[in-house]
């Protein structure tokens, strides 16, 4: 297959050269540069991904049942020169669609960065059992995290439910201001859901995900839980050289987040009603 793609490229350039026989070297170079600017970027991407060009999509209209890789924006704003516009219609719900089709997702065709998708199965344990599980997993949790987990508004997922989620860096949302309210708004327009409160605890107490969480520092887009002063908070989970730790972050609407912070967003379930 790789040899075939190289043959296709060779034919492409041979045809390009034959079309401009008799021209000076400068004229050929100008014609070549013009042709390259008009050339479908999927040809270059096909060599990078070892996939035929027609199996790569970089715009929504190129998606077909045969598509294997998406390499482009997973959302796009309607205002050309504004980072704070509304998402274009064809990009609303695009990410969940790509996931449901089993397409590998890369953001940006210039410097492809794969979007990570993971899942965990709810085990039906309550917050206290999950916190003990974090300890058994060699981790710890802060006092604010313990208070959040034992709060009356903390919700537990039914046993056996598969929680599938996607991880995206704040900076990839291309917002004018990386505030909590903007992150929440954009993710909802993208068709993503709130993570259940126990997702962070399920991951932290899971032996299966212990190695997977290494080097990751995730914030979870959930319905915030207020502390004793009424300030909203969300769970954060990380594992580094200091070990595994569950803690909290302020999620006030105007709170600004560093562009390299990663958030987990829940993907829609197949049984979710289509809006």
């Amino acid at each position: 297959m790789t040899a075939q793609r190289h043959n296709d490229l060779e034919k492409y350039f041979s045809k390009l050269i034959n079309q401009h026989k008799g021209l000076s070297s400068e004229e050929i170079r100008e014609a070549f540069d013009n042709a390259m600017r008009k050339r479908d970027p999927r040809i270059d991407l096909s060599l990078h991904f070892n996939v035929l060009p027609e199996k790569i999509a970089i715009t929504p209209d190129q998606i077909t049942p045969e598509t294997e890789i998406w390499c482009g924006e997973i959302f796009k704003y309607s205002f050309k020169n504004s980072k704070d516009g509304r998402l274009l219609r064809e990009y609303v719900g695009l990410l969940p669609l790509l996931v449901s089709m089993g397409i590998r997702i890369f953001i940006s065709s210039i410097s492809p960065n794969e979007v990570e998708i993971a899942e965990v199965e709810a085990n039906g344990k309550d917050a206290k059992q999950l916190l003990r599980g974090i300890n058994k997993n060699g981790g710890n949790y802060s006092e604010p995290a313990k208070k959040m987990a034992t709060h009356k508004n903390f919700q537990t997922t039914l046993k056996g439910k598969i929680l599938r989620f996607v991880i995206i860096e704040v900076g990839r949302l291309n917002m004018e201001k990386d505030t909590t309210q903007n992150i929440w708004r954009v993710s909802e327009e993208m068709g993503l859901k709130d993570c259940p409160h126990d997702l962070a605890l399920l991951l932290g107490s899971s032996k299966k995900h212990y190695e997977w969480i290494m080097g990751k520092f995730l914030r979870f887009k959930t319905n915030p839980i207020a502390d004793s002063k009424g300030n909203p908070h969300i769970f954060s989970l990380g594992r580094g050289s200091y070990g595994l730790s569950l803690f909290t972050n302020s999620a006030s609407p105007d709170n600004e987040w560093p562009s390299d912070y990663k958030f987990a967003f829940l993907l829609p379930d197949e049984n979710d009603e289509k809006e």
Side-chain angles (χ1 to χ4, degrees):
M1 185 180 294
T2 301
Q4 180 60 48
R5 278 198 298 281
H6 279 291
N7 288 336
D8 291 342
L9 287 173
E10 186 176 342
K11 290 178 182 178
Y12 176 86
F13 288 116
S14 295
K15 181 180 178 181
L16 188 62
I17 292 171
N18 289 330
Q19 286 175 343
H20 299 89
K21 281 184 175 179
L23 298 180
S24 68
S25 59
E26 286 189 15
E27 289 172 325
I28 291 176
R29 170 55 62 186
E30 183 179 354
F32 179 81
D33 289 342
N34 287 334
M36 288 300 289
R37 281 193 289 270
K38 297 177 182 178
R39 187 161 165 257
D40 188 344
R42 291 183 295 176
I43 295 176
D44 296 318
L45 291 171
S46 71
L47 295 175
H48 177 82
F49 290 114
N50 196 30
V51 173
L52 291 172
E54 57 267 29
K55 294 189 176 184
I56 300 173
I58 58 178
T59 58
D61 62 298
Q62 293 174 342
I63 299 172
T64 70
E66 286 72 44
T67 301
E68 295 180 7
I69 290 177
W70 168 269
C71 194
E73 300 301 328
I74 49 177
F75 43 83
K76 200 166 186 178
Y77 295 102
S78 57
F79 300 122
K80 185 175 181 180
N81 297 318
S82 174
K83 292 183 179 180
D84 199 30
R86 305 297 294 181
L87 288 173
L88 288 171
R89 185 185 302 274
E90 60 267 34
Y91 283 83
V92 174
L94 174 63
L95 181 57
L97 171 64
L98 295 170
V99 173
S100 68
M101 293 179 68
I103 296 173
R104 290 182 67 192
I105 304 165
F106 292 81
I107 300 178
S108 175
S109 59
I110 299 175
S111 56
N113 184 4
E114 188 165 12
V115 173
E116 188 168 11
I117 296 168
E119 63 181 38
V120 65
E121 182 177 351
N123 52 26
K125 294 182 179 180
D126 61 29
K128 291 183 179 179
Q129 291 173 313
L130 291 173
L131 289 174
R132 286 197 293 271
I134 291 175
N135 285 150
K136 290 180 180 179
N137 221 13
N140 58 75
Y141 49 83
S142 67
E143 187 60 28
K146 179 181 178 181
K147 289 182 179 179
M148 272 186 62
T150 55
H151 193 279
K152 63 180 181 180
N153 292 336
F154 180 89
Q155 297 176 343
T156 303
T157 306
L158 291 176
K159 183 178 181 179
K161 184 174 178 61
I162 302 297
L163 300 173
R164 203 173 190 195
F165 58 96
V166 59
I167 301 169
I168 305 176
E169 283 188 5
V170 172
R172 292 289 185 172
L173 299 176
N174 300 319
M175 299 175 295
E176 187 174 15
K177 289 187 177 181
D178 297 332
T179 60
T180 303
Q181 61 184 351
N182 283 342
I183 294 172
W184 271 215
R185 173 181 63 82
V186 170
S187 64
E188 288 167 4
E189 288 181 325
M190 290 171 66
L192 304 176
K193 306 293 183 180
D194 284 356
C195 297
H197 292 137
D198 60 354
L199 177 55
L201 282 71
L202 286 166
L203 289 171
S205 60
S206 169
K207 294 187 179 300
K208 179 180 177 180
H209 292 82
Y210 183 74
E211 293 301 328
W212 174 83
I213 200 69
M214 182 62 188
K216 291 182 173 66
F217 303 88
L218 306 178
R219 276 75 188 175
F220 296 78
K221 196 260 182 175
T222 63
N223 182 19
I225 293 178
D227 60 19
S228 58
K229 296 182 180 179
N231 300 314
H233 285 76
I234 57 173
F235 283 114
S236 298
L237 181 71
R239 183 183 169 216
S241 57
Y242 58 84
L244 174 69
S245 183
L246 176 74
F247 47 103
T248 67
N249 280 119
S250 170
S252 59
D254 59 351
N255 183 55
E256 292 196 30
W257 300 83
S259 61
D260 60 345
Y261 273 33
K262 294 182 178 181
F263 269 81
F265 304 93
L266 192 71
L267 286 161
D269 188 278
E270 291 181 357
N271 298 320
D272 288 345
E273 295 183 6
K274 295 184 178 180
E275 297 180 359

